[in-house]
Amino acid sequence: MTEAPIRILVVDDEPSITEFVGYNLRKEGYEVDLAADGNAALAMATATPYDLIVLDVMLPNLDGYEVVRRLRATKSVPVLFLSARDTELDKVVGLEIGGDDYLAKPFGVRELLARVKALLRRSVGHDATAPSADFNEVIEASGITLDEGTHMATGARGPIDLTPREFELLASLMRHAGKVLSRDQLLRDAWGWEYLVETKTVDTHVKRLRDKLAAAEINPALVETVRGYGYRFKLS
């Protein structure tokens, strides 16, 4: 049985950017669709099961942030933001809204492809880069099962719909179930960015994670806040 190709949506209002990104992604064997404004991006992403969206922040009609806000109501597709804004605050805002990574313009091909492959590796069923030694680890605690090989999260009622960052965040907590993890540790585990120490990023994603657990009829209090330090996954 032939594996389905990986589909990526690239959104930018600058034709030179979409052509540059699209060309290099197609060279890697990905199927690529292009959009030039927020309304088109939202319509295409809603109608098509993309594996990744590469999304400019500054777009006509709807900006990239608003596209992700609306998309996150129904979709957990990974999103890589592109932006000429390169401050730490801009990156934090993009992540808090629901983006999974943030790449500042101008950027090189190698960095773009590295970010794309990292996000695809973390999404369901796409081993886009060489797997790590523990990539196929299965983690089980308090009625939740995480399969690192497929990036599937499952509870007693069935699948839990998580974004790649939410999955990595829950995986970090469950690997250390019963122990308190600092926000810095969670940032390193789920994002891999030593330099990004804005604690609100973790807090916002923990809130979303709890909402997803509640929607799957799992007690959101399993992810416990430890005041002044961080978070702990409780063993039930």
Side-chain angles (χ1 to χ4, degrees):
M1 182 176 178
T2 304
E3 185 176 345
I6 295 174
R7 298 192 67 178
I8 300 176
L9 175 62
V10 178
V11 189
D12 200 297
D13 62 336
E14 297 181 46
S16 60
I17 298 292
T18 53
E19 289 170 10
F20 170 78
V21 174
Y23 171 78
N24 284 285
L25 291 177
R26 289 184 182 113
K27 279 182 63 179
E28 294 296 309
Y30 305 127
E31 285 194 358
V32 180
D33 292 333
L34 306 178
D37 65 75
N39 284 335
L42 185 59
M44 293 170 71
T46 301
T48 304
Y50 290 107
D51 299 291
L52 174 69
I53 299 176
V54 180
L55 181 65
D56 186 28
V57 172
M58 301 301 293
L59 291 170
N61 302 317
L62 295 178
D63 67 22
Y65 291 157
E66 185 60 25
V67 170
V68 170
R69 283 192 189 98
R70 298 188 188 187
L71 198 59
R72 283 290 176 250
T74 57
K75 300 275 188 177
S76 295
V77 56
V79 174
L80 169 59
F81 275 124
L82 302 179
S83 179
R85 299 174 177 176
D86 192 24
T87 69
E88 182 172 312
L89 178 60
D90 291 319
K91 294 174 183 177
V92 169
V93 169
L95 296 174
E96 288 181 356
I97 283 169
D100 297 285
D101 203 347
Y102 192 105
L103 182 58
K105 300 177 181 179
F107 52 84
V109 174
R110 293 179 66 180
E111 183 176 13
L112 169 69
L113 294 178
R115 301 291 185 98
V116 165
K117 290 178 180 179
L119 286 176
L120 289 171
R121 185 179 66 243
R122 286 172 167 164
S123 62
V124 177
H126 295 318
D127 186 8
T129 59
S132 61
D134 63 349
F135 188 71
N136 292 317
E137 180 183 4
V138 175
I139 309 167
E140 295 181 290
S142 301
I144 300 174
T145 301
L146 301 183
D147 188 327
E148 295 267 282
T150 62
H151 248 71
M152 290 290 293
T154 309
R157 300 287 185 178
I160 309 168
D161 187 24
L162 302 178
T163 67
R165 297 299 180 196
E166 291 161 354
F167 184 97
E168 295 294 340
L169 183 60
L170 182 57
S172 178
L173 289 163
M174 288 178 59
R175 283 192 197 98
H176 304 91
K179 297 181 180 180
V180 183
L181 297 183
S182 69
R183 290 169 175 82
D184 285 347
Q185 178 64 52
L186 290 169
L187 279 169
R188 287 193 293 272
D189 288 352
W191 281 265
W193 296 337
E194 297 276 354
Y195 65 84
L196 187 58
V197 294
E198 174 60 56
T199 58
K200 282 186 63 180
T201 300
V202 174
D203 297 337
T204 301
H205 279 73
V206 165
K207 180 182 183 303
R208 288 201 182 97
L209 175 59
R210 286 171 173 157
D211 290 343
K212 296 285 185 72
L213 294 178
E217 299 183 40
I218 297 169
N219 182 8
L222 285 174
V223 180
E224 180 184 24
T225 301
V226 180
R227 292 188 179 276
Y229 193 74
Y231 294 96
R232 171 171 52 210
F233 186 88
K234 295 195 298 185
L235 293 169
S236 61

